[in-house]
Amino acid sequence: MLEPALVRELADVLAAASFTADGIAAHLGPDATDALYRGEPGAVLVATRAGGQLDGLIRTLLVRRPATGEELADLFGPRLALSLIDASFFTTTPSGHLEVAFDVRPHVLCGRERLVLSDRDASMTELVPGRDHVLGVGAASLSLLSASPVTPVDRVLDLGTGSGVQALAQSTVAREVVATDVHPRALELAEATLSANGVDNVELRRGPWFEPVAGERFDRIVANPPFVVGLPEVGHVYRDSGLGLDGATQLVVEQAAAHLEANGTACILGAWVHALDESWQQRVASWVPGTGVSAWVLQRDVVDPALYVSTWLKDESLDPRSREAVERTEAWLDYFDANHVHAIGFGWVFLRRIGDSEASEITAEELRQPFTDPLGPEVEEYFLRAQWLRGASRDQVLDAAYLVRPSVALEEVSLADADAGIGFAPEVARVTRTDGPRFSHEVDRGGQSVLAGLHPQGLALRDVVGLLAASRGIDDPARLGELEDGAAGAVVDLVRHGLVIPAELAEIVR
């Protein structure tokens, strides 16, 4: 395997040549950069014909164009090129040329230029990933990166580190990171990735699931387990757990909280089945421990079984029309059918360790609206809002003052008035966040009036409702109580999604 000193020397040469995410984008320009990320090598080769060092590095490392020994010596220097060849970083092709044996790709993680080493994928060359394939920064990794907080903490656990992507990101904000994996090759590539970036606060441990950290607790857990929903077998270590259906996600959700410090947070990427005999919310909620946990489950996508299977077969570069793919599709779908699976959901499970004597609370919802902001900051804020709601009675909700989030917009939708045959008639009004996950809630005229009356240094919610009742001539105590109940319930929902913030937490959005 690659020696740390060799990888570090390679990284230094690449950095000096501007072989970074920003440097490559600036060199190629927007069109060729897009082609690179779409997996279109021809366009990148055209854009790198000038022949400079960065052109050669892009062609050799990213497009994986075979090179001669002399060309490698020009790119890396004779001594380093020879060391890389001796270390099998480059392998000999049938034509006698040398081809890079790893994926070496720059990324910006947590605002820093980083270099990630992994196995080659099929993005630039025809390749079928083997059983021991180790991924680099893929869609799942990016999804978890976006959803994981990056505030400073003491200890972080990266469960199932793969090539070390999450550990690398968390190393910038944690005093210590423990990264585990059951796969020896993954740990070797994670070590190479960490060495390339000069990271020395990550400890790598081998073993399945939570066994390498038995009895230990962490301030943050990030987990991208092999969550593919399928038969209880392992075709590819990076995605198949050997547990049937959604057993991998279930195992991590069930056991993660026991490894969290008080107020610690787990960020878990996962998938779950939609079965005929239960809702997906009930299924995932049943995995959360009964006490001591606040859970927020977000379903991002839902697909039917046939599309799910074909997607993962294509992930391993199988043609769905091939005999092997057809046979595997039949077996996979038969297994789903035998277990009454009609859809598969994908998303995140966030856990916060609260008082061990407190009953667990679970919010499971869909997050289907488009958004581009990182979800990590929202996760931390969500649990602060949930903590406030957990300690607030109906009267405390009514007696508090609130801030309407500055990014909230009021949308009023009108449709052509079919009855009148002319003009437009109001259809619905919504308040929508224009930041974060873009949560949206419908509000009636009364709700709009209440929101308009909220101010963190102003009247309590109860008083705002009282003014609304007075403006409508309502003085019956029972009717006023109904208005207060409705306002309190609406505000609880708005606080949960961050459209309205209790005055005492107002600083979290400033």
Side-chain angles (χ1 to χ4, degrees), residues 209-210 225 227 243-256 268-272 283-284 286-289 349:
W209 307 112
F210 291 96
F227 58 73
L243 302 174
L245 296 178
D246 45 18
T249 304
Q250 177 180 352
L251 186 152
V252 177
V253 172
E254 287 179 340
Q255 298 185 17
I268 304 163
L269 197 65
W272 38 83
R283 185 178 186 88
V284 179
S286 71
W287 304 338
V288 178
V349 179

Side-chain angles (χ1 to χ4, degrees), residues 114-401:
R114 297 296 200 180
L115 201 64
V116 176
L117 279 76
S118 63
D119 280 327
R120 297 185 304 170
D121 58 19
S123 63
M124 285 289 162
T125 49
E126 292 183 339
L127 184 148
V128 177
R131 182 183 187 278
D132 293 333
H133 181 80
V134 178
L135 287 177
V137 181
S141 298
L142 292 172
S143 181
L144 184 57
L145 284 169
S146 172
S148 299
V150 288
T151 49
V153 291
D154 189 40
R155 299 188 79 213
V156 172
L157 169 63
D158 175 16
L159 186 76
T161 191
S163 57
V165 175
Q166 307 299 327
L168 187 60
Q170 291 292 324
S171 70
T172 64
V173 296
R175 180 187 63 82
E176 175 191 6
V177 179
V178 176
T180 69
D181 207 293
V182 70
H183 188 16
R185 181 169 176 77
L187 293 174
E188 291 174 352
L189 283 166
E191 182 180 18
T193 293
L194 297 170
S195 298
N197 295 280
V199 172
D200 59 4
N201 63 336
V202 177
E203 179 186 356
L204 299 172
R205 300 183 191 176
R206 182 184 173 189
W209 307 112
F210 291 96
E211 286 187 18
V213 293
E216 296 183 52
R217 290 191 176 186
F218 300 83
D219 303 292
R220 181 177 298 146
I221 297 173
V222 293
N224 180 10
F227 58 73
V228 169
V229 177
L231 287 80
E233 58 189 31
V234 179
H236 294 81
V237 178
Y238 73 88
R239 73 181 200 189
D240 302 320
S241 67
L243 302 174
L245 296 178
D246 45 18
T249 304
Q250 177 180 352
L251 186 152
V252 177
V253 172
E254 287 179 340
Q255 298 185 17
H259 294 275
L260 288 174
E261 296 281 8
N263 295 315
T265 304
C267 306
I268 304 163
L269 197 65
W272 38 83
V273 303
H274 290 220
L276 295 177
D277 55 349
E278 65 180 341
S279 70
W280 73 266
Q281 293 95 333
Q282 290 173 321
R283 185 178 186 88
V284 179
S286 71
W287 304 338
V288 178
T291 59
V293 176
S294 177
W296 190 28
V297 186
L298 294 177
Q299 180 169 271
R300 187 62 173 153
D301 292 298
V302 182
V303 298
D304 64 81
L307 178 58
Y308 187 81
V309 171
S310 68
T311 297
W312 284 108
L313 290 178
K314 291 175 183 176
D315 174 75
E316 57 182 282
S317 301
L318 274 184
D319 185 336
R321 300 166 298 180
S322 68
R323 176 177 295 182
E324 179 185 358
V326 170
E327 291 175 352
R328 290 182 57 190
T329 297
E330 289 181 306
W332 207 330
L333 292 178
D334 285 344
Y335 181 68
F336 280 160
D337 187 57
N339 287 277
H340 312 293
V341 175
H342 63 86
I344 298 92
F346 169 83
W348 305 276
V349 179
F350 303 105
L351 307 176
R352 171 65 59 92
R353 181 78 177 261
I354 59 177
D356 290 343
S357 61
E358 295 193 54
S360 292
E361 58 182 21
I362 303 164
T363 299
E365 56 189 336
E366 291 192 88
L367 191 62
R368 304 295 291 276
Q369 65 270 21
F371 67 94
T372 56
D373 291 343
L375 195 57
E378 186 70 21
V379 172
E380 298 214 301
E381 188 184 310
Y382 171 86
F383 284 120
L384 288 175
R385 302 191 305 256
Q387 181 180 7
W388 188 90
L389 290 172
R390 193 162 55 246
S393 65
R394 170 191 178 276
D395 285 339
Q396 288 171 316
V397 171
L398 286 168
D399 291 334

Side-chain angles (χ1 to χ4, degrees), residues 22 33 56 80 166 189 352 364 385 412 499 510:
D22 289 344
T33 299
L80 177 58
Q166 307 299 327
L189 283 166
R352 171 65 59 92
R385 302 191 305 256
E412 295 180 298
L499 288 90
R510 293 179 178 173

Side-chain angles (χ1 to χ4, degrees), residues 3 20 37 50 54 91 105 128 218 232 277 337 345 353 432-433 464 468 481 498:
E3 291 296 327
T20 63
Y37 288 108
L54 185 53
T91 56
R105 197 170 296 268
V128 177
F218 300 83
D277 55 349
D337 187 57
R353 181 78 177 261
T432 302
R433 284 180 57 179
V464 174
L468 175 63

